Amino acid sequence: MGIFITLEGIDGSGKTTAADLIAGSLREAGYRVLLTQEPTGAYLGTVVKDIVIGRDSGKNIDLSFLKTLSKKTVSIMALFLFSADRIVHLDEISIKLNDFDVILCDRFIDSTYAYQAVYPNGKNDKSFEELILTINDFVLRQKNVEINRTYLFDLKPEDALKRLNGRLGKFDGFDSEPLDFFERVRTNYIYLADRFKSRIKKIDASAPAKDTAALIVKDIIKLINTLY
Ligand code: TYD
């Protein structure tokens, strides 16, 4: 039985680059590693990218209906769309945990909280935030999958923006002020790290990706040795 690790952080935090490095180092050390991500590359994942993130997957989905929706509706819709992609993904993850030593997932349930809990117009809605956590938990329990550890790549939004080099167009779907949006996503992540201390390790992501990756690889190997 393998271990399930998730990587989280705001866009530009360097986690995707680090994910490749971590997977490479673990493979060199002889571990069987599956690197995966959310939104997935499967059908629902690409639909989510089209509808929520505003990417064009070439599916020619008519997105004109989005224009008539309130921001609140879009937030709630996003919660269910990401969760739908996730439950299908979990079918695969639960099976593949038998074949791999480590499954490394670039974004998972904490992204849904961090991003979708950024409620429209700067308002907070505790009941919506708790609903997201309940759905996240419910979805995981359906497949009896447990996250063994989550690494939160923590970085100031200003620094993340510099790394993104103008890739901000991707936030069209969230329809937010970029910096303010990142600030709130980061705050949500830090809240989760405080709330789920035993699962989430906050990492200073301002270091070069290869240093951060090396630190995580060491920690994962230690975790495997503790568990097995
Ligand atoms: P993408 O570029 O595919 O991934 P990454 O930023 O990790 O390279 O973009 C995914 C976007 O989707 C990212 O901005 C975070 C967002 N997202 C959510 O809002 N909720 C979720 O549940 C997930 C998984 C992602």
Side-chain angles (χ1 to χ4, degrees), residues 22-224:
I22 297 165
S25 299
L26 287 172
R27 283 182 187 129
E28 268 172 34
Y31 295 98
R32 294 165 300 168
V33 181
L34 176 70
L35 181 56
T36 182
Q37 83 285 324
E38 289 194 3
T40 66
Y43 186 81
L44 281 176
T46 56
V47 168
V48 172
K49 281 180 200 162
D50 274 9
I51 295 181
V52 185
I53 311 174
R55 298 257 178 83
D56 187 359
S57 68
K59 281 197 164 53
N60 288 325
I61 298 174
D62 180 3
L63 298 176
S64 54
F65 75 97
L66 286 174
K67 294 194 187 87
T68 65
L69 305 180
S70 69
K71 288 181 179 179
K72 192 168 165 180
T73 301
V74 171
S75 277
I76 299 169
M77 178 190 72
L79 163 64
F80 291 114
L81 285 174
F82 282 111
S83 302
D85 182 36
R86 181 161 308 129
I87 189 71
V88 176
H89 194 199
L90 270 165
D91 267 347
E92 184 192 340
I93 291 171
S94 61
I95 293 167
K96 295 213 166 145
L97 275 169
N98 296 311
D99 304 329
F100 288 89
D101 300 309
V102 180
I103 297 188
L104 200 58
C105 191
D106 183 355
R107 294 197 182 283
F108 198 61
I109 51 170
D110 301 315
S111 283
T112 309
Y113 183 88
Y115 284 77
Q116 274 63 66
V118 177
Y119 217 53
N121 310 325
K123 286 185 200 140
N124 288 331
D125 182 333
K126 260 286 154 225
S127 68
F128 185 57
E129 289 164 20
E130 288 304 312
L131 175 68
I132 297 173
L133 293 178
T134 304
I135 290 176
N136 284 347
D137 195 45
F138 173 82
V139 166
L140 267 180
R141 271 190 289 115
Q142 297 317 298
K143 300 292 163 192
N144 284 322
V145 170
E146 190 197 336
I147 305 173
N148 296 95
R149 187 151 293 166
T150 298
Y151 297 98
L152 170 57
F153 285 59
D154 186 48
L155 191 65
K156 276 202 218 116
E158 301 90 296
D159 296 338
L161 280 176
K162 278 182 210 145
R163 281 195 188 160
L164 282 173
N165 278 334
R167 281 205 288 131
L168 275 177
K170 68 199 281 186
F171 275 119
D172 285 350
F174 292 106
D175 201 18
S176 300
E177 286 298 314
L179 199 63
D180 173 58
F181 183 80
F182 278 111
E183 296 280 6
R184 294 175 67 202
V185 172
R186 185 187 187 207
T187 304
N188 289 342
Y189 269 133
I190 290 170
Y191 170 79
L192 289 176
D194 283 342
R195 181 157 167 172
F196 302 105
K197 278 196 178 67
S198 58
R199 172 173 65 85
I200 304 179
K201 275 202 170 188
K202 189 153 75 78
I203 307 257
D204 175 6
S206 62
K210 68 170 183 16
D211 296 347
T212 311
L215 196 130
I216 293 176
V217 167
K218 256 195 196 159
D219 195 65
I220 292 178
I221 293 176
K222 211 163 109 191
L223 182 64
I224 294 173

